[in-house]
Amino acid sequence: MYKNLKTIEVVDILVVGAGSAGCVAALAAASSKYRVLLVERYGFLGGSSTQMLDTFYGFFTPSETPKKIVGGWPDVVVNTLDDHGEIFLRPNTYGAGTGVNYNPERLKNVWDTLLLQAGVDFLLHTTLIDVNPLPDGRYECIFWNKSGFWKVSPQRIIDASGDADFCHLSGFDYEIAGEQEPAQSMTTTFRMANVDLDAFEKAGGKKVLAQIMAETSHPLPRKEGSAHAMNIPKCISTVAVKVGGMNALNVQDLTKAEVEGRRQAFVFEAFFQKEVPGYRDAKIIGLSTQIGVRETRRVYGEHRLTMEECMAAQIPNDTILLCGAPIEDHREDKNGESETHWQYIPAGGIYGVSYGTIVPKNSHLVWVAGRCFSATHDAHASCRSMAQTMAMGQAAGLAALQSLDHDSSASQLDVSKLRETLLQQRAILETPDQPAFTGKDQWKLNFA
């Protein structure tokens, strides 16, 4: 069926997709005992972290006394960026908690460096196209790249593809976003240069921008959105474009969404230039590599995170990561117009995410990490920030190692032992006693 199919030999752990979840999964799984292979369809690592975003959210809760609730390998990533002087902390426009702003071009290099130092093999420009079950319970994975067709039959697999591509091809059950509740809209982010940020702030900054957007007669696609300063002087990044009502798993829809996202970006550029203080001479200098997709397939796992669990703000005994982010549901209203629904965890609360959310139902050899994990639509809208997806990756990588070491099934893993290993790697699994430092240049103070 596949002409000149070549074999990649001796892969113990295969990670499909090198977004923030997949990269951290590979880093956590790296071991002198086992070979880890990470495959990515783009020409660089990082997924959403480098394709369209420049801020990690989810490290800090959004309460008046914020807590830092993610640690371990995600901290290593941020610390490495900080060593290059390329992060600062900033508040979220809509109150979702403090974010860690970074230079996404530097982050591409950081992902490269960390994975190479850890001894992880990775292949870029490589796409998973088929999966064949094997008699011994493993899976033969077929990839294509410029060198042709390749097959690999790993001992363990972590699906961090975002769209649950491996789980889809191998027959695991999942829900497609939009089947029950409207799927979250897609977003083309854009960056502008030559912005007079001092003039913008003197004119009132974000508050004035929101007022101008609400009152303008300019034909904006939507009258809300954010624009924030980047690590690069006189440059800003936006989350303003919204493309709803389309299925990111349908190539015709995805093509239309890409075109519409770019169209909206330049409508916003004209608006900024004409009406927003400090933007008269600003221009778009970059669009996201692809349109940002918030949800497609969500795997049915051994456990499914629900909105009720998020709102209960409890930390179960099998917790593998923490989250305090509000439900942030980007969607269309009944009139087809864009809106964002917010629902906060009561009393600035924190909830724990159970191990079963990263294990497909009845899985022996497979884990999921990132936005394809097991959650309902509304719970997913809370627990999809990159700090949480990195934490999922860390748990999945360590679980795969533990499974190999003890010849145990993914669905029967000793979670207490996994939690011990996570804690040894400085993951945070209980509510911290002390509030976090969230000032612009205070990241390092959280480790003092």
Side-chain angles (χ1 to χ4, degrees):
M1 182 177 179
Y2 302 104
K3 189 175 180 181
N4 300 320
L5 183 62
K6 297 176 280 291
T7 301
I8 301 175
E9 302 285 358
V10 193
V11 173
D12 297 295
I13 300 173
L14 172 67
V15 183
V16 181
S20 54
C23 285
V24 172
L27 288 168
S31 164
S32 59
K33 293 172 61 178
Y34 305 114
R35 183 186 180 195
V36 179
L37 176 63
L38 174 65
V39 294
E40 167 57 39
R41 65 189 175 116
Y42 283 98
F44 54 90
L45 304 170
S48 294
S49 74
T50 49
Q51 290 174 15
M52 66 277 299
L53 298 178
D54 71 342
T55 305
F56 291 129
Y57 284 111
F59 277 96
F60 302 100
T61 63
S63 65
E64 293 182 1
T65 54
K67 302 290 181 68
K68 182 175 178 295
I69 56 171
V70 171
W73 271 109
D75 279 347
V76 173
V77 175
V78 177
N79 287 337
T80 307
L81 287 163
D82 194 22
D83 289 343
H84 291 286
E86 302 220 43
I87 69 159
F88 63 83
L89 305 187
R90 69 175 187 86
N92 174 266
T93 299
Y94 299 102
T98 296
V100 181
N101 186 273
Y102 55 83
N103 181 343
E105 302 306 320
R106 173 67 74 177
L107 181 55
K108 292 176 184 177
N109 171 253
V110 166
W111 286 127
D112 289 341
T113 301
L114 290 175
L115 286 158
L116 289 170
Q117 288 175 343
V120 173
D121 292 329
F122 58 90
L123 291 174
L124 303 176
H125 299 292
T126 300
T127 302
L128 177 71
I129 60 171
D130 205 356
V131 176
N132 301 312
L134 297 174
D136 63 0
R138 293 184 301 146
Y139 299 88
E140 178 187 71
C141 300
I142 310 296
F143 295 93
W144 182 86
N145 57 33
K146 288 293 185 180
S147 298
F149 294 100
W150 297 83
K151 66 178 179 179
V152 57
S153 302
Q155 301 297 318
R156 303 292 188 273
I157 298 168
I158 299 170
D159 186 344
S161 64
D163 294 324
D165 289 332
F166 171 84
C167 289
H168 166 66
L169 292 169
S170 57
F172 286 100
D173 290 335
Y174 55 82
E175 176 187 348
I176 297 177
E179 287 182 333
Q180 297 182 30
E181 303 92 351
Q184 292 208 57
S185 59
M186 294 180 270
T187 297
T188 299
T189 59
F190 61 90
R191 302 166 191 166
M192 300 183 74
N194 204 30
V195 180
D196 187 338
L197 288 167
D198 289 338
F200 175 68
E201 292 300 331
K202 286 178 182 177
K206 292 181 179 180
K207 289 184 179 180
V208 166
L209 174 60
Q211 181 180 346
I212 295 172
M213 291 181 82
E215 298 175 354
T216 183
S217 60
H218 196 89
L220 290 181
R222 59 188 289 251
K223 294 193 173 185
E224 61 179 15
S226 64
H228 60 262
M230 298 180 65
N231 272 266
I232 303 157
K234 297 186 177 182
C235 291
I236 63 95
S237 182
T238 69
V239 180
V241 168
K242 269 193 179 181
V243 180
M246 296 192 191
N247 178 4
L249 297 174
N250 178 291
V251 69
Q252 285 84 12
D253 273 8
L254 192 56
T255 299
K256 292 176 184 176
E258 294 281 13
V259 174
E260 173 61 14
R262 289 190 284 269
R263 184 195 72 81
Q264 288 188 26
F266 285 97
V267 172
F268 274 106
E269 180 193 56
F271 160 74
F272 275 98
Q273 291 169 341
K274 292 178 181 178
E275 300 193 28
V276 181
Y279 281 80
R280 184 184 62 184
D281 299 319
K283 285 186 175 293
I284 287 178
I285 57 166
L287 301 172
S288 51
T289 304
Q290 72 152 67
I291 194 166
V293 178
R294 291 185 170 92
E295 59 173 347
T296 49
R297 301 185 185 103
R298 298 192 304 277
V299 173
Y300 286 118
E302 289 291 316
H303 181 82
R304 199 171 189 221
L305 182 67
T306 66
M307 181 183 72
E308 289 74 22
E309 289 177 330
C310 299
M311 293 297 120
Q314 295 179 353
I315 301 176
N317 293 332
D318 62 347
T319 288
I320 55 168
L321 64 115
L322 301 180
C323 185
I327 292 171
E328 181 184 348
D329 188 355
H330 298 259
R331 62 193 185 189
E332 289 185 336
D333 64 19
K334 61 184 179 181
N335 298 316
E337 296 181 356
S338 294
E339 66 174 2
T340 303
H341 169 74
W342 294 85
Q343 187 170 349
Y344 286 81
I345 312 303
I350 297 166
Y351 63 87
V353 179
S354 294
Y355 170 71
T357 61
I358 65 167
V359 181
K361 193 71 174 175
N362 299 318
S363 168
H364 297 292
L365 309 177
V366 180
W367 293 261
V368 294
R371 64 177 173 85
C372 54
F373 83 114
S374 178
T376 61
H377 167 82
D378 35 21
H380 179 275
S382 166
C383 196
R384 61 181 176 81
S385 296
M386 285 191 290
Q388 277 66 46
T389 62
M390 286 192 283
M392 288 178 207
Q394 179 169 245
L398 292 176
L401 276 182
Q402 183 178 323
S403 174
L404 283 170
D405 283 341
H406 298 278
D407 192 24
S408 57
S409 164
S411 57
Q412 300 297 321
L413 197 81
D414 183 346
V415 181
S416 63
K417 183 172 180 61
L418 173 62
R419 283 169 50 86
E420 289 175 7
T421 309
L422 282 166
L423 291 170
Q424 290 168 6
Q425 292 202 355
R426 299 183 181 276
I428 300 172
L429 302 180
E430 298 290 344
T431 302
D433 294 327
Q434 300 299 318
F437 293 93
T438 58
K440 181 179 180 181
D441 299 312
Q442 292 187 329
W443 170 261
K444 280 190 171 70
L445 295 181
N446 290 295
F447 306 92

